[in-house]
Amino acid sequence: MRKILSRLGFSMIVCVVALSGAPVVWAAGGEVPPGSPTGESPYGAPAPTNLQSRIERRKIAPPARLRPRQEAGKIDRAAQRQARREAQERLERRREAAERAAKARREAARAAAIRAAALRAQRARGTPPAASETRLRPSEILVVTRPGLSQAAIDALLARHRLTAVEVAPIALTGETWRLWRADDNRTTRALVLELARESAVLRVQPNFVYALAQAAASGAMPQYALSHLRADGLAGGGEGVRVAVVDSMIDERHPDLHSAIEATFDAVGTAVAPHKHGTAVAGAIAGHGDVRGAAPRAKLLAVRAFDANAQGATLAVLKGVDWAAGEKARIINMSFAGPPDPALARALQAALARKILLIAAAGNAGAKSPPLYPAADPGVIAVAASDTADGVYAGSVRGPHVRLAAPGVDVLLPSVEGKYDLETGTSVAAGFVS
């Protein structure tokens, strides 16, 4: 009963039992003696009611022994909140640092990509020659400008780089117009290429490379043997009507063995010069038909003069010569010269190959340890080494997997200038026989 009443909110149980007619009141604090009908306590103060007792109990402070524990709990909770805030701040700082690092990496990657693209574009426009490369015309560069560039813009480009325009040569084979520019202040070709490669108005820039005729000194002791070793003695009517372009030094058209063999001529250099023995000998190896016969005596020669009196030919002259020969419907182009790799010439030769023109080149006379020489080492070009009277490879021939053939080229009797004959040695002669 007491439990039930306690749950109903009563703090005091009062039982009134009528035994003798006198009420007896039981309270939680003890028995109230008779004579106190008003319910006063034995101490003189009125006994508290149930509601008052509940209110008072709520106002009673907790025992002193419990206060440190509560205070410690408050401190612990505050410390925990502070620790959580600090952990959250550390997490935010780490996240911000990671975002900054990621942004820096993205920016660095973007900058690297831009630099790489610029470098690729610059290299596509022009690769400077090696510092040790000397097979070029000093302070000269060949340039292809952007299509549609006005003459005023070209003049401004020349002025900005302190250059002088020397020549303009449209090349139909590649659809490009090459410009020869020169610096008059002794800047190196390498420096000029690097300068111009940075210009967006420039599509291509490169040195004006120099080629040497692939001819060596003859011993003067060997008789004529080339045609018998080629098994071409009976080919008197060989080469009927075939147009063979000879890109070389000036050919002596007046030599009796070359009479009526030359169908057309083209001077890619433009300066007056006397006929040269190298071009004359190569022409005789191809189409000689007098005292000394060539391998194809009835072929028609397209004589291209691309080399000067010093037997040197530069890129632009050779480019113009190859382009002219292609325009004249040459079936074969003979190139008895050798030099460094040349991007401009390589592009023109690929265009010639696309027209089904056969390209023959001398491998060069730099010896077995030489690196490949060009244009013989360009793709699609037939590189020719020289052989001797015993059909052994000439000691001076450049070797390598790019060399396709060997032909007589040591002490071969061939036409020379002023109606004379000379013994010639070198891969130039061999390339002429193969052509």
Coordinates of all heavy atoms in Angstrom, one line a residue, residues 69-129:
R69 N 33.1 16.1 -7.6 CA 32.9 15.1 -8.7 C 32.2 15.8 -9.9 O 32.5 15.7 -11.0 CB 32.1 14.0 -8.2 CG 32.6 12.6 -8.7 CD 31.7 11.5 -8.1 NE 32.4 10.9 -7.0 CZ 31.9 9.9 -6.2 NH1 30.7 9.5 -6.5 NH2 32.6 9.4 -5.3
Q70 N 31.1 16.6 -9.5 CA 30.4 17.4 -10.6 C 31.3 18.4 -11.3 O 31.2 18.5 -12.5 CB 29.2 18.0 -9.9 CG 28.1 17.1 -9.5 CD 26.9 17.8 -8.8 OE1 27.1 19.0 -8.5 NE2 25.8 17.1 -8.7
E71 N 32.1 19.1 -10.4 CA 32.9 20.1 -11.0 C 33.9 19.4 -12.0 O 34.2 19.9 -13.1 CB 33.7 20.9 -9.9 CG 32.8 21.7 -9.1 CD 32.1 22.8 -9.9 OE1 32.7 23.3 -10.9 OE2 31.0 23.2 -9.6
A72 N 34.5 18.3 -11.5 CA 35.4 17.5 -12.4 C 34.8 17.1 -13.7 O 35.3 17.1 -14.8 CB 36.0 16.3 -11.6
G73 N 33.5 16.6 -13.6 CA 32.8 16.2 -14.8 C 32.6 17.4 -15.8 O 32.7 17.3 -17.0
K74 N 32.3 18.6 -15.2 CA 32.2 19.8 -16.1 C 33.5 20.1 -16.8 O 33.5 20.4 -18.0 CB 31.7 21.0 -15.2 CG 30.3 20.9 -14.7 CD 29.9 22.1 -13.9 CE 28.5 22.1 -13.4 NZ 28.2 23.2 -12.6
I75 N 34.6 20.0 -16.0 CA 35.9 20.3 -16.6 C 36.2 19.3 -17.7 O 36.7 19.6 -18.8 CB 37.0 20.3 -15.5 CG1 36.7 21.4 -14.5 CG2 38.4 20.3 -16.1 CD1 37.6 21.4 -13.3
D76 N 35.9 18.0 -17.4 CA 36.2 16.9 -18.4 C 35.4 17.2 -19.7 O 35.9 17.0 -20.8 CB 35.8 15.6 -17.8 CG 36.8 15.2 -16.7 OD1 37.9 15.8 -16.7 OD2 36.5 14.2 -16.0
R77 N 34.1 17.5 -19.5 CA 33.3 17.8 -20.7 C 33.8 19.0 -21.5 O 33.9 19.0 -22.7 CB 31.9 18.0 -20.3 CG 31.2 16.7 -19.9 CD 29.7 16.9 -19.8 NE 29.3 17.8 -18.7 CZ 29.1 17.4 -17.5 NH1 29.3 16.2 -17.1 NH2 28.8 18.3 -16.6
A78 N 34.3 20.0 -20.8 CA 34.8 21.2 -21.5 C 36.1 20.8 -22.2 O 36.3 21.3 -23.4 CB 35.1 22.3 -20.5
A79 N 36.9 20.0 -21.6 CA 38.2 19.6 -22.2 C 37.9 18.8 -23.4 O 38.6 18.9 -24.4 CB 39.0 18.8 -21.2
Q80 N 36.9 17.9 -23.3 CA 36.5 17.1 -24.5 C 36.1 17.9 -25.6 O 36.4 17.7 -26.8 CB 35.5 16.1 -24.1 CG 36.0 15.0 -23.2 CD 34.9 14.1 -22.6 OE1 33.7 14.3 -23.0 NE2 35.2 13.1 -21.8
R81 N 35.2 18.9 -25.3 CA 34.8 19.8 -26.4 C 35.9 20.6 -27.0 O 36.0 20.7 -28.2 CB 33.7 20.8 -25.8 CG 32.4 20.2 -25.5 CD 31.3 21.3 -25.3 NE 31.6 22.1 -24.1 CZ 31.2 21.8 -22.9 NH1 30.5 20.7 -22.7 NH2 31.5 22.6 -21.9
Q82 N 36.9 21.1 -26.2 CA 38.0 21.8 -26.7 C 38.9 20.8 -27.6 O 39.4 21.2 -28.6 CB 38.9 22.3 -25.5 CG 40.1 23.1 -25.9 CD 39.8 24.3 -26.7 OE1 38.7 24.9 -26.6 NE2 40.7 24.8 -27.5
A83 N 39.1 19.6 -27.1 CA 39.8 18.6 -27.9 C 39.2 18.4 -29.2 O 39.9 18.3 -30.3 CB 40.0 17.3 -27.1
R84 N 37.8 18.2 -29.2 CA 37.1 18.0 -30.5 C 37.3 19.2 -31.4 O 37.5 19.0 -32.6 CB 35.7 17.7 -30.2 CG 35.4 16.3 -29.7 CD 33.9 16.0 -29.8 NE 33.1 16.8 -29.0 CZ 32.8 16.6 -27.7 NH1 33.2 15.5 -27.1 NH2 32.0 17.4 -27.0
R85 N 37.2 20.4 -30.9 CA 37.4 21.6 -31.7 C 38.8 21.7 -32.3 O 39.0 22.0 -33.5 CB 37.1 22.9 -30.9 CG 35.7 23.2 -30.7 CD 35.5 24.6 -30.2 NE 36.1 24.9 -28.9 CZ 35.5 24.7 -27.7 NH1 34.3 24.2 -27.7 NH2 36.2 24.9 -26.6
E86 N 39.8 21.4 -31.5 CA 41.2 21.4 -31.9 C 41.4 20.3 -33.0 O 42.1 20.5 -34.0 CB 42.1 21.2 -30.8 CG 42.2 22.4 -29.8 CD 43.1 22.1 -28.6 OE1 43.6 20.9 -28.5 OE2 43.3 23.0 -27.8
A87 N 40.8 19.1 -32.8 CA 40.9 18.1 -33.8 C 40.3 18.5 -35.1 O 40.8 18.2 -36.2 CB 40.3 16.8 -33.3
Q88 N 39.1 19.1 -35.0 CA 38.4 19.6 -36.2 C 39.2 20.7 -36.9 O 39.3 20.7 -38.2 CB 37.0 20.2 -35.8 CG 36.2 20.6 -37.0 CD 35.8 19.4 -37.9 OE1 35.7 18.2 -37.3 NE2 35.5 19.6 -39.1
E89 N 39.9 21.6 -36.1 CA 40.7 22.6 -36.8 C 41.9 22.0 -37.4 O 42.3 22.4 -38.5 CB 41.1 23.6 -35.7 CG 40.0 24.5 -35.2 CD 40.4 25.3 -34.0 OE1 41.6 25.2 -33.6 OE2 39.6 26.1 -33.5
R90 N 42.5 21.0 -36.8 CA 43.7 20.3 -37.4 C 43.2 19.6 -38.7 O 43.9 19.7 -39.7 CB 44.3 19.3 -36.5 CG 45.1 19.9 -35.3 CD 46.0 18.8 -34.7 NE 45.1 17.8 -34.1 CZ 44.7 17.8 -32.8 NH1 44.9 18.9 -32.1 NH2 43.9 16.8 -32.4
L91 N 42.1 19.0 -38.7 CA 41.6 18.4 -39.9 C 41.3 19.4 -41.0 O 41.7 19.1 -42.2 CB 40.3 17.6 -39.6 CG 39.6 16.8 -40.7 CD1 40.6 15.7 -41.2 CD2 38.3 16.2 -40.2
E92 N 40.8 20.5 -40.6 CA 40.5 21.6 -41.6 C 41.8 22.1 -42.2 O 41.9 22.3 -43.4 CB 39.7 22.7 -41.0 CG 38.3 22.4 -40.7 CD 37.5 22.2 -41.9 OE1 37.8 22.8 -43.0 OE2 36.5 21.4 -41.9
R93 N 42.8 22.3 -41.3 CA 44.1 22.8 -41.8 C 44.8 21.7 -42.7 O 45.3 22.1 -43.8 CB 45.1 23.1 -40.6 CG 44.7 24.3 -39.8 CD 45.8 24.7 -38.9 NE 46.1 23.8 -37.9 CZ 45.5 23.8 -36.7 NH1 44.6 24.7 -36.4 NH2 45.8 22.8 -35.8
R94 N 44.7 20.5 -42.4 CA 45.3 19.4 -43.3 C 44.5 19.4 -44.6 O 45.1 19.3 -45.7 CB 45.2 18.1 -42.6 CG 46.2 17.9 -41.5 CD 46.4 16.4 -41.2 NE 45.2 15.8 -40.6 CZ 44.9 15.7 -39.3 NH1 45.8 16.2 -38.5 NH2 43.8 15.2 -38.9
R95 N 43.2 19.5 -44.6 CA 42.4 19.5 -45.8 C 42.8 20.8 -46.7 O 43.0 20.6 -47.9 CB 40.9 19.5 -45.5 CG 40.1 19.4 -46.7 CD 38.7 19.0 -46.4 NE 38.0 19.8 -45.4 CZ 37.6 19.3 -44.2 NH1 37.8 18.0 -43.9 NH2 37.1 20.1 -43.3
E96 N 42.9 21.9 -46.0 CA 43.3 23.1 -46.8 C 44.7 22.9 -47.4 O 44.9 23.3 -48.5 CB 43.2 24.3 -45.9 CG 41.8 24.7 -45.5 CD 41.8 25.8 -44.5 OE1 42.9 26.3 -44.1 OE2 40.7 26.2 -44.1
A97 N 45.6 22.4 -46.6 CA 47.0 22.2 -47.1 C 47.0 21.2 -48.3 O 47.7 21.4 -49.3 CB 47.9 21.7 -46.0
A98 N 46.2 20.1 -48.2 CA 46.1 19.2 -49.3 C 45.5 19.8 -50.5 O 46.0 19.6 -51.6 CB 45.3 18.0 -48.8
E99 N 44.5 20.7 -50.3 CA 43.9 21.4 -51.5 C 44.9 22.3 -52.1 O 45.0 22.4 -53.3 CB 42.7 22.1 -51.0 CG 41.5 21.2 -50.7 CD 40.3 22.0 -50.2 OE1 40.4 23.2 -50.0 OE2 39.2 21.4 -49.9
R100 N 45.7 23.0 -51.3 CA 46.7 23.9 -51.8 C 47.8 23.1 -52.6 O 48.2 23.5 -53.7 CB 47.3 24.7 -50.7 CG 46.5 25.8 -50.1 CD 47.3 26.8 -49.3 NE 47.9 26.2 -48.2 CZ 47.4 26.0 -47.0 NH1 46.1 26.5 -46.8 NH2 48.0 25.4 -46.0
A101 N 48.2 22.0 -52.0 CA 49.2 21.2 -52.7 C 48.7 20.6 -54.0 O 49.4 20.6 -55.0 CB 49.6 20.0 -51.8
A102 N 47.4 20.2 -54.0 CA 46.8 19.6 -55.2 C 46.7 20.7 -56.3 O 47.0 20.5 -57.5 CB 45.5 19.1 -54.9
K103 N 46.3 21.9 -55.8 CA 46.2 23.1 -56.8 C 47.6 23.4 -57.3 O 47.7 23.7 -58.5 CB 45.6 24.3 -56.1 CG 45.4 25.5 -57.0 CD 44.8 26.6 -56.2 CE 44.6 27.8 -57.1 NZ 44.0 29.0 -56.4
A104 N 48.6 23.4 -56.5 CA 50.0 23.7 -56.9 C 50.4 22.6 -57.9 O 51.1 23.0 -58.9 CB 50.9 23.8 -55.8
R105 N 50.1 21.4 -57.7 CA 50.5 20.3 -58.6 C 49.8 20.5 -59.9 O 50.4 20.3 -61.0 CB 50.2 18.9 -58.0 CG 51.1 18.5 -56.9 CD 51.0 17.0 -56.6 NE 49.6 16.7 -56.1 CZ 49.3 16.7 -54.8 NH1 50.2 17.1 -53.9 NH2 48.1 16.4 -54.5
R106 N 48.5 20.8 -59.9 CA 47.8 21.0 -61.1 C 48.3 22.2 -61.9 O 48.5 22.1 -63.2 CB 46.3 21.3 -60.8 CG 45.5 20.1 -60.4 CD 44.0 20.3 -60.4 NE 43.6 21.4 -59.5 CZ 43.3 21.3 -58.3 NH1 43.3 20.1 -57.7 NH2 42.9 22.3 -57.5
E107 N 48.7 23.3 -61.2 CA 49.2 24.4 -61.9 C 50.6 24.1 -62.5 O 50.9 24.5 -63.6 CB 49.3 25.6 -60.9 CG 48.0 26.2 -60.6 CD 48.1 27.3 -59.5 OE1 49.2 27.5 -59.0 OE2 47.1 28.0 -59.2
A108 N 51.4 23.3 -61.7 CA 52.7 23.0 -62.2 C 52.6 22.0 -63.4 O 53.3 22.2 -64.4 CB 53.5 22.2 -61.1
A109 N 51.6 21.1 -63.4 CA 51.4 20.2 -64.5 C 50.9 21.0 -65.7 O 51.4 20.7 -66.9 CB 50.4 19.1 -64.2
R110 N 50.1 22.0 -65.5 CA 49.6 22.8 -66.6 C 50.7 23.6 -67.2 O 50.9 23.7 -68.4 CB 48.5 23.7 -66.1 CG 47.7 24.5 -67.2 CD 46.6 25.3 -66.7 NE 45.7 24.6 -65.9 CZ 45.5 24.7 -64.6 NH1 46.2 25.6 -63.9 NH2 44.6 24.0 -63.9
A111 N 51.6 24.2 -66.4 CA 52.7 25.0 -66.9 C 53.7 24.1 -67.6 O 54.2 24.5 -68.7 CB 53.4 25.7 -65.7
A112 N 53.9 22.9 -67.1 CA 54.8 21.9 -67.8 C 54.2 21.5 -69.1 O 55.0 21.4 -70.1 CB 55.0 20.7 -66.9
A113 N 52.9 21.3 -69.2 CA 52.3 21.0 -70.5 C 52.4 22.1 -71.5 O 52.7 21.9 -72.7 CB 50.8 20.6 -70.2
I114 N 52.2 23.3 -71.0 CA 52.4 24.5 -71.9 C 53.8 24.6 -72.4 O 54.0 24.8 -73.6 CB 52.0 25.8 -71.1 CG1 50.4 25.7 -70.8 CG2 52.3 27.0 -71.9 CD1 50.0 26.9 -70.0
R115 N 54.8 24.4 -71.4 CA 56.2 24.5 -71.9 C 56.5 23.4 -72.9 O 57.2 23.6 -73.9 CB 57.1 24.4 -70.7 CG 57.1 25.6 -69.8 CD 58.3 25.6 -68.8 NE 58.3 24.4 -68.0 CZ 57.6 24.4 -66.8 NH1 57.0 25.4 -66.4 NH2 57.7 23.3 -66.0
A116 N 56.0 22.1 -72.6 CA 56.2 21.0 -73.5 C 55.6 21.3 -74.9 O 56.2 21.0 -75.9 CB 55.7 19.7 -72.9
A117 N 54.4 21.8 -74.9 CA 53.8 22.1 -76.2 C 54.5 23.2 -76.9 O 54.7 23.1 -78.1 CB 52.3 22.6 -75.9
A118 N 55.0 24.2 -76.2 CA 55.8 25.2 -76.8 C 57.1 24.7 -77.4 O 57.5 25.0 -78.5 CB 56.1 26.4 -75.8
L119 N 57.7 23.8 -76.6 CA 59.0 23.2 -77.0 C 58.7 22.3 -78.3 O 59.5 22.3 -79.2 CB 59.6 22.3 -75.9 CG 60.9 21.7 -76.2 CD1 62.0 22.8 -76.5 CD2 61.4 20.9 -75.0
R120 N 57.6 21.5 -78.2 CA 57.3 20.7 -79.4 C 57.1 21.6 -80.6 O 57.5 21.2 -81.7 CB 56.1 19.8 -79.1 CG 56.3 18.6 -78.2 CD 55.2 17.6 -78.3 NE 53.9 18.2 -77.9 CZ 53.5 18.3 -76.6 NH1 54.3 17.7 -75.6 NH2 52.4 18.8 -76.3
A121 N 56.3 22.6 -80.4 CA 56.1 23.6 -81.6 C 57.4 24.2 -82.1 O 57.6 24.3 -83.3 CB 55.1 24.6 -81.1
Q122 N 58.2 24.5 -81.1 CA 59.5 25.1 -81.5 C 60.4 24.1 -82.2 O 61.0 24.5 -83.3 CB 60.2 25.6 -80.2 CG 61.6 26.3 -80.5 CD 62.2 26.9 -79.2 OE1 61.5 27.2 -78.3 NE2 63.5 26.9 -79.2
R123 N 60.4 22.9 -81.7 CA 61.2 21.9 -82.4 C 60.6 21.5 -83.8 O 61.3 21.2 -84.7 CB 61.2 20.6 -81.6 CG 62.2 20.7 -80.4 CD 62.1 19.5 -79.5 NE 63.1 19.6 -78.4 CZ 63.2 18.7 -77.4 NH1 62.4 17.7 -77.4 NH2 64.1 18.9 -76.5
A124 N 59.2 21.6 -83.9 CA 58.6 21.4 -85.2 C 59.0 22.5 -86.2 O 59.2 22.2 -87.4 CB 57.1 21.3 -85.0
R125 N 59.1 23.7 -85.6 CA 59.5 24.8 -86.5 C 60.9 24.7 -86.9 O 61.3 25.1 -88.0 CB 59.2 26.1 -85.8 CG 57.7 26.4 -85.7 CD 57.5 27.9 -85.3 NE 57.8 28.1 -83.9 CZ 57.0 28.0 -82.9 NH1 55.7 27.7 -83.1 NH2 57.4 28.3 -81.7
G126 N 61.8 24.3 -86.0 CA 63.2 24.2 -86.3 C 64.0 23.7 -85.2 O 63.9 24.0 -84.0
T127 N 64.9 22.7 -85.6 CA 65.9 22.2 -84.6 C 67.2 22.8 -84.9 O 67.7 22.7 -86.0 CB 65.9 20.6 -84.8 OG1 64.6 20.1 -84.6 CG2 66.9 20.0 -83.8
P128 N 67.9 23.4 -83.9 CA 69.2 24.0 -84.2 C 70.2 22.9 -84.5 O 70.1 21.8 -84.0 CB 69.5 24.7 -82.9 CG 68.7 24.0 -81.9 CD 67.4 23.6 -82.5
P129 N 71.2 23.3 -85.3 CA 72.3 22.3 -85.5 C 73.1 22.1 -84.3 O 73.2 22.9 -83.4 CB 73.1 23.0 -86.6 CG 72.9 24.4 -86.4 CD 71.5 24.5 -85.9

